[in-house]
Amino acid sequence: MLKIQSRRDFISYLFLMPVLIFFSIFIYIPLIFSFICSLSSFESLNTLKFVGLKNFIEMINDGVFWISLKNTLIITSIDLIAKLFGSLLVALGFNSVIRGRRFFETAYYLPAVASIIVTGVIWSWMYFPEYGIVDITLKSLGLPTFLWLGDSRFAIYSIIFVLFWKDVGLFGIVFLAGLQAIPRSFYDSAKIDGAGFFSVLRHITLPLLKPSILFVIVMVTAWDLPQMALPYQMTKGGPGYSTTTLMLYIYLQGFQAWRLGYASAMTFALVCIALIFAYIQWRTLKTEVLY
């Protein structure tokens, strides 16, 4: 319960009311309704019928659900590792460039501004067999070409590369801000002591970049776990179910098959997975950054 002990408290809560009303209307009420739907057979408001845990039991026995969950975890884990290392390398490069830094920062940041749908369309053309720029470049170098989006062995990794390409510059700038916040005197002292590049990276740069690293981990995880738009745009989840993410499968079940109750049950499974990731990250943030 909110305790109002003074006029100042009343004014503070009054300013918070629009936010509380917004969260209630657009988050809490839909979340409660979604939970009710997950326990129901629900195709429309006129067909809402309570079925208990039937949707969750079906979800556990649904092979496509587990495939989509595996694809989601593959995309999240590989994209996270790639962006951590790639963005750090980009930031180190930015930090060492004196002339033309603003140009390179802008050039690397531009893909992050583009819409995810536009990005998917452009890269679908670039991956196009025989006539796409990727295959043309490989042929000119005498290298083999592949069905990047048409082969289940390569499709998911082709999508991961696009996700990496889109945001590596954005997170590179985040790391650059962290690098520029490190006092120069630390590096000067290490240089006097004869420390090499990797020693400085391990004992000075990475420890002092922990807040930036954790920020990147949180953001990439939050964006990749509910990833749907790029796989849908580029492959429609195929070939087969090789690029179907959990969020995409929820969309297909909810708004194409109109099994809204089953889609709500899978949504709650995704929320639970996200909460587990969030709890791990919060514990790490609490121990590594706040103390």
Side-chain angles (χ1 to χ4, degrees):
M1 295 292 294
L2 298 177
K3 294 183 179 180
I4 301 176
Q5 299 178 349
S6 65
R7 183 172 179 271
R8 185 175 179 179
D9 290 343
F10 174 76
I11 294 174
S12 300
Y13 291 133
L14 193 63
F15 277 105
L16 285 173
M17 283 304 295
V19 177
L20 295 175
I21 293 172
F22 175 85
F23 273 87
S24 297
I25 294 175
F26 294 102
I27 295 181
Y28 299 130
I29 293 176
L31 189 63
I32 294 171
F33 183 69
S34 179
F35 180 70
I36 294 172
C37 291
S38 70
L39 300 174
S40 309
S41 174
F42 177 50
E43 283 75 34
S44 68
L45 289 174
N46 297 325
T47 60
L48 188 64
K49 180 182 178 182
F50 181 77
V51 296
L53 298 177
K54 181 180 177 181
N55 289 324
F56 291 96
I57 295 172
E58 180 181 351
M59 180 183 69
I60 293 173
N61 295 318
D62 186 353
V64 180
F65 166 78
W66 294 107
I67 292 173
S68 62
L69 176 58
K70 181 191 73 172
N71 292 337
T72 300
L73 295 178
I74 288 174
I75 289 174
T76 302
S77 57
I78 296 179
D79 188 41
L80 175 58
I81 294 171
K83 281 176 180 173
L84 281 174
F85 284 97
S87 300
L88 182 57
L89 289 175
V90 168
L92 291 171
F94 286 161
N95 204 37
S96 62
V97 173
I98 299 176
R99 297 184 61 182
R101 176 188 291 178
R102 297 302 178 191
F103 169 78
F104 289 110
E105 288 178 3
T106 303
Y108 273 85
Y109 181 77
L110 278 177
V113 180
S115 162
I116 191 71
I117 299 299
V118 172
T119 301
V121 170
I122 293 173
W123 274 93
S124 294
W125 292 342
M126 292 174 67
Y127 280 137
F128 196 82
E130 299 294 331
Y131 304 107
I133 191 171
V134 175
D135 277 11
I136 291 174
T137 303
L138 290 174
K139 283 181 179 179
S140 66
L141 296 174
L143 298 174
T145 60
F146 305 95
L147 290 174
W148 300 105
L149 300 178
D151 192 323
S152 59
R153 296 173 298 171
F154 306 114
I156 192 169
Y157 302 108
S158 301
I159 290 174
I160 291 171
F161 179 80
V162 176
L163 289 171
F164 169 78
W165 170 86
K166 187 177 188 304
D167 293 322
V168 66
L170 169 64
F171 294 121
I173 293 177
V174 171
F175 278 130
L176 178 62
L179 286 172
Q180 294 180 342
I182 300 174
R184 187 65 194 175
S185 58
F186 290 3
Y187 294 108
D188 293 337
S189 299
K191 186 176 181 180
I192 293 172
D193 292 338
F197 173 80
F198 291 104
S199 180
V200 171
L201 182 67
R202 177 183 176 186
H203 297 289
I204 296 178
T205 304
L206 291 180
L208 294 177
L209 276 181
K210 280 182 179 178
S212 299
I213 292 172
L214 290 168
F215 173 80
V216 172
I217 291 173
V218 170
M219 293 303 297
V220 173
T221 304
W223 290 350
D224 282 353
L225 280 177
Q227 183 60 240
M228 184 202 83
L230 195 63
Y232 183 76
Q233 171 62 43
M234 297 184 71
T235 63
K236 298 294 186 295
Y241 293 103
S242 60
T243 59
T244 301
T245 61
L246 185 52
M247 195 66 196
L248 176 55
Y249 190 49
I250 290 170
Y251 168 79
L252 294 175
Q253 288 293 314
F255 296 100
Q256 289 195 1
W258 287 106
R259 302 187 62 204
L260 298 175
Y262 185 48
S264 297
M266 289 191 291
T267 301
F268 266 87
L270 180 59
V271 169
C272 290
I273 294 169
L275 288 175
I276 292 172
F277 275 91
Y279 176 76
I280 295 171
Q281 291 163 359
W282 177 80
R283 294 291 297 180
T284 306
L285 179 67
K286 181 179 177 181
T287 56
E288 296 291 344
V289 177
L290 298 183
Y291 294 102

